[in-house]
Amino acid sequence: MPMELPTLDAVSSILRHIHKEEHRRFQAVGLWGSAKTLLAVQLAQALERPLLIVTRGRIEAEAVHEDLMSFA
């Protein structure tokens, strides 16, 4: 059974920025571990569109994939 996670505070802040600005690119820094992927999942759900997640390399990409399998 899926578990509901609380929405991260950063989601509403980023959404305000995206809707206010012309460009829609941003970089989330200061997050660690699965919080990065959770933020991406919650933003994609709020925006109702896909997001591109760029990682540093294969190991990081595999970790994001594992997180996505858990969250989405």
Side-chain angles (χ1 to χ4, degrees):
M1 172 169 45
M3 182 171 75
E4 281 292 317
L5 296 172
T7 303
L8 298 173
D9 293 336
V11 172
S12 57
S13 176
I14 292 170
L15 287 174
R16 281 193 302 275
H17 175 75
I18 288 173
H19 292 305
K20 173 171 73 168
E21 300 292 327
E22 289 291 319
H23 58 359
R24 294 180 179 227
R25 288 186 295 173
F26 66 92
Q27 181 178 3
V29 296
L31 299 171
W32 54 276
S34 298
K36 296 175 189 179
T37 308
L38 180 58
L39 176 64
V41 168
Q42 290 183 350
L43 281 171
Q45 290 172 340
L47 292 168
E48 297 179 342
R49 56 183 15 190
L51 294 179
L52 174 65
I53 302 172
V54 179
T55 65
R56 200 173 281 200
R58 180 185 58 82
I59 293 171
E60 292 85 356
E62 289 174 355
V64 168
H65 179 262
E66 290 296 320
D67 290 342
L68 285 172
M69 298 298 291
S70 298
F71 294 137

